[in-house]
Amino acid sequence: MAAGLRAVRRWGLAAAAPPRLAFTRSASVVKKGNNGQPNWLGVGMAFGTSAALWGFLIKEHNEDEMEYERRKRERRHKCEGCS
């Protein structure tokens, strides 16, 4: 992108078109994946992250259920008239 902007400035094309519409070239390169040799580090990190997030979600859900049951018991206790 920087090379395209330099060319726009050099040739004086800035008045004709805004810099964001200048002649640019994408810097990304797409390569064909190698299925014979997978990236095991990336696979492990993906599955590990997924497992950690599910574990956290289940732990939070269990804590929320326990808090709900505790509050329900307290509410029931107050309504039964213990005085």
Side-chain angles (χ1 to χ4, degrees), residues 13-78:
L13 297 174
R20 60 181 139 71
L21 298 177
F23 301 105
T24 59
R25 212 170 31 176
S26 176
S28 64
V29 177
V30 178
K31 292 191 277 185
K32 188 174 182 179
N34 183 3
N35 293 333
Q37 195 173 20
N39 180 4
W40 290 112
L41 178 63
V43 171
M45 288 180 69
F47 280 114
T49 303
S50 179
L53 288 173
W54 272 105
F56 178 74
L57 179 68
I58 291 169
K59 179 180 132 317
E60 288 292 314
H61 174 71
N62 291 338
E63 288 176 359
D64 290 345
E65 272 188 342
M66 288 188 327
E67 180 69 16
Y68 171 75
E69 292 297 329
R70 184 187 64 79
R71 289 183 182 189
K72 193 164 79 171
R73 278 193 309 271
E74 286 179 2
R75 195 171 51 242
R76 190 178 323 134
H77 179 73
K78 289 178 185 176

Side-chain angles (χ1 to χ4, degrees), residues 4-19 22-23:
L5 291 176
R6 280 195 300 262
V8 167
R9 287 189 200 119
R10 184 180 308 135
W11 295 326
L13 297 174
F23 301 105

